[in-house]
Amino acid sequence: MSARHPIQIHVPPTLGPLAVPLTSYLSTHPSFSALAISACIFAPAHLSTPPSPRLLLLHRADTEPSFRNLWEIPGGAVEATDPTLLHGLAREVFEETGLHLTRFVRQVGQGGMLTGGDESAPIRCRHLSFEIEVAEMMGNLLLDGRRPFGGVEAALTEEERDGGAARGVSALEDVTVVVDPAEHQGFRWVSEAEVRDAACLVGSGETGYFAKKRAGWEDGQGEGEVKLVSEDQRQVMLEAFAKHKIGIVGQGKSSVGDARPGLSV
């Protein structure tokens, strides 16, 4: 068998300023006291019928104190123990989906703000989102024993790539997503149309959220129905779809194994 060579997670130059610890980021953004980070993970169009890109959504657990039973993209809070903000997203993606981040494609949106806490200890949280790629789209071509971030993984040899192995998995069923039942009850690969047509719990302000929450809106989902956590997140998803499709046309080929200049973290 041909020898494989190690690769590390690719970070484009535009995201280099985010390869810093949480404390460093917050010190230069004093209006925020926390940072949340989310991932848009796409499945290639050829895995769906009819062919179209699909975005991974997670179904929040019924036991969650807020936004229960609603759908969202993977993500969470960056922690002080994460080496950088980017490591924080790789950790969150692995914890919530079992998927291994291999490449940051681009930032999506300019970043939103989440508020919480109370008057004595308000929390102002910056929220950043990114399109990423994951190793599992390469199917069984990766060696066992991968680490969640920055570890040694199996890359394709030129021989394997020339033979078409870079096309990765042949069906969405081949991509194993493992959710944490304490946080999520399932997952779904959705189309752009499904995102555009989905209802949202949070509209233009917290008033709408609490009114719907009191009415039991979170608990009223029909089978197969997708209700998103917020309009802001829907807009991030739609922008991600738009940029993803432009990226495919611009590249003219799969982005797997992209060797453009950037950082390895």
Side-chain angles (χ1 to χ4, degrees), residues 46-106:
H46 73 272
L47 299 184
S48 301
T49 304
S52 66
R54 297 277 174 156
L55 178 69
L56 178 63
L57 297 187
L58 302 183
H59 194 187
R60 289 176 65 85
D62 183 58
T63 54
E64 283 288 317
S66 61
F67 304 113
R68 63 180 181 272
N69 295 322
L70 302 183
W71 294 80
E72 63 184 355
I73 51 179
V78 177
E79 300 177 357
T81 53
D82 293 321
T84 72
L85 310 185
L86 305 181
H87 286 77
L89 183 56
R91 174 186 51 75
E92 283 288 345
V93 167
F94 180 73
E95 290 175 354
E96 294 192 349
T97 69
L99 302 176
H100 297 76
L101 192 159
T102 56
R103 178 177 173 237
F104 282 85
V105 180
R106 61 179 63 87

Side-chain angles (χ1 to χ4, degrees), residues 178-257:
V178 181
V179 300
D180 178 356
E183 296 186 17
H184 296 99
Q185 56 186 294
F187 68 93
R188 183 170 176 175
W189 296 94
V190 298
S191 67
E192 183 176 8
E194 288 177 285
V195 171
R196 195 177 303 278
D197 295 341
C200 294
L201 175 60
V202 181
S204 58
E206 291 184 349
T207 302
Y209 163 67
F210 287 113
K212 290 179 178 179
K213 186 177 178 66
R214 285 195 298 270
W217 195 87
E218 294 168 300
D219 301 318
Q221 295 203 94
E223 184 176 354
E225 186 177 6
V226 173
K227 289 183 176 179
L228 306 176
V229 297
S230 72
E231 179 62 32
D232 286 344
Q233 193 162 112
R234 187 221 303 271
Q235 293 305 316
V236 166
M237 296 176 193
L238 293 176
E239 180 178 331
F241 268 106
K243 291 184 174 180
H244 179 75
K245 290 186 292 187
I246 292 173
I248 292 174
V249 173
Q251 290 172 180
K253 62 178 183 178
S254 170
S255 61
V256 174

Side-chain angles (χ1 to χ4, degrees), residues 1-167:
M1 184 176 73
S2 301
R4 297 173 185 266
H5 55 280
I7 60 174
Q8 290 184 307
I9 295 173
H10 176 87
V11 180
T14 53
L15 298 184
L18 298 179
V20 296
L22 176 63
T23 52
S24 298
Y25 181 85
L26 294 179
S27 68
T28 57
H29 297 76
S31 59
F32 300 105
S33 55
L35 179 68
I37 200 163
S38 297
C40 294
I41 304 171
F42 286 98
H46 73 272
L47 299 184
S48 301
T49 304
S52 66
R54 297 277 174 156
L55 178 69
L56 178 63
L57 297 187
L58 302 183
H59 194 187
R60 289 176 65 85
D62 183 58
T63 54
E64 283 288 317
S66 61
F67 304 113
R68 63 180 181 272
N69 295 322
L70 302 183
W71 294 80
E72 63 184 355
I73 51 179
V78 177
E79 300 177 357
T81 53
D82 293 321
T84 72
L85 310 185
L86 305 181
H87 286 77
L89 183 56
R91 174 186 51 75
E92 283 288 345
V93 167
F94 180 73
E95 290 175 354
E96 294 192 349
T97 69
L99 302 176
H100 297 76
L101 192 159
T102 56
R103 178 177 173 237
F104 282 85
V105 180
R106 61 179 63 87
Q107 184 172 345
V108 181
Q110 299 303 309
M113 184 181 72
L114 305 172
T115 58
D118 52 40
E119 293 183 0
S120 62
I123 298 175
R124 293 172 58 86
C125 179
R126 180 75 162 170
H127 189 188
L128 302 178
S129 300
F130 303 87
E131 179 184 345
I132 67 168
E133 292 178 353
V134 295
E136 282 68 17
M137 286 299 168
M138 297 304 298
N140 62 2
L141 295 174
L142 297 176
L143 295 177
D144 293 333
R146 296 184 299 256
R147 288 181 288 176
F149 191 93
V152 175
E153 299 173 348
L156 294 178
T157 65
E158 291 184 7
E159 177 183 349
E160 289 169 324
R161 192 178 306 283
D162 292 342
R167 286 192 293 270

